[in-house]
Amino acid sequence: MDLNELTGRFLLLFFSILLLYFFSNRKDNETINPLMVIVGLCTFSLCYLFTKIEIGVGIGFGLFAIFSILRFRTQSFTVNAIIFLFATITLSILDIMYPFEKIEILLFFQVIIIGFYIAASIIVNKKASNYFNAVDVKIPLISDFSLENENIRKAIQEKINIKDFAFKIVLINTVTNEIDLLVFY
């Protein structure tokens, strides 16, 4: 594999991941850390390295163990983030390992994966994309207050004068007797 082919494969992966990242962060209440893009680029580099050297089964099991430990030792990821990671890892492995002589098949797989990802992202995030603004709101947590959807909606409408909105409970603070909300409008 010459430098031009490697550069072309890398640029294909880079722009594919950027496209996936753009469509992953369309939801207002959930964003993916931009550093997750590095996972796909690192996988691309590791796969390139593994095509140049002989590796044993032990290294494969070792990598599996490392990824397993990372999964259980880090914060939980959202479904959106896990799908993004899986898609970027898949694209990076495809981009570096697929034979260059069959570039049209590689591009077909690339377009199909990105197309399904974008279509699913638009379908899933359709409701969330209706709200372009977000604001933090604190409402008092009084003794007879219930966490039912309608009660919280009324409290939010008393604080800010908007009709069409969505909200997410961020924190229920029993020390200060407040509920921290993220309101999308």
Side-chain angles (χ1 to χ4, degrees):
M1 181 180 312
D2 64 348
L3 187 60
N4 289 336
E5 180 184 340
L6 182 64
T7 303
R9 288 175 183 255
F10 179 79
L11 289 175
L12 177 64
L13 173 69
F14 184 73
F15 289 117
S16 299
I17 290 176
L18 283 181
L19 190 63
L20 292 180
Y21 182 75
F22 171 75
F23 278 95
S24 295
N25 284 330
R26 291 171 46 103
K27 250 179 139 174
D28 291 334
N29 60 350
E30 177 181 311
T31 57
I32 293 178
N33 190 328
L35 294 176
M36 283 190 166
V37 169
I38 295 173
V39 172
L41 302 177
C42 290
T43 305
F44 180 87
S45 302
L46 276 175
C47 288
Y48 178 74
L49 175 69
F50 290 156
T51 61
K52 298 298 176 195
I53 61 171
E54 269 190 45
I55 59 169
V57 177
I59 291 179
F61 282 123
L63 285 173
F64 179 75
I66 288 171
F67 289 127
S68 296
I69 290 170
L70 286 176
R71 170 64 187 111
F72 292 113
R73 299 282 185 208
T74 60
Q75 69 179 6
S76 295
F77 295 115
T78 63
V79 173
N80 193 19
I82 291 171
I83 293 170
F84 175 79
L85 279 175
F86 186 72
T88 57
I89 289 170
T90 302
L91 289 174
S92 62
I93 292 171
L94 274 175
D95 283 347
I96 195 66
M97 302 294 271
Y98 211 83
F100 195 69
E101 297 80 35
K102 299 179 181 180
I103 190 76
E104 62 277 353
I105 297 174
L106 171 64
L107 292 174
F108 172 77
F109 282 130
Q110 196 94 6
V111 168
I112 292 297
I113 291 171
I114 292 171
F116 275 118
Y117 192 95
I118 290 171
S121 174
I122 290 171
I123 291 168
V124 168
N125 298 333
K126 192 172 186 179
K127 182 181 178 193
S129 64
N130 291 339
Y131 305 110
F132 295 111
N133 300 314
V135 66
D136 294 321
V137 175
K138 292 182 185 288
I139 57 173
L141 179 63
I142 51 180
S143 60
D144 62 339
F145 187 82
S146 84
L147 292 176
E148 293 178 7
N149 193 12
E150 287 303 314
N151 290 340
I152 295 174
R153 283 189 156 295
K154 287 178 188 173
I156 291 171
Q157 286 176 337
E158 289 173 4
K159 283 272 196 186
I160 53 178
N161 190 19
I162 54 175
K163 300 290 181 210
D164 185 27
F165 63 91
F167 67 90
K168 177 182 175 185
I169 297 175
V170 177
L171 176 70
I172 299 175
N173 192 339
T174 56
V175 175
T176 61
N177 289 328
E178 290 179 327
I179 301 174
D180 296 340
L181 302 164
L182 189 57
V183 179
F184 307 100
Y185 63 97

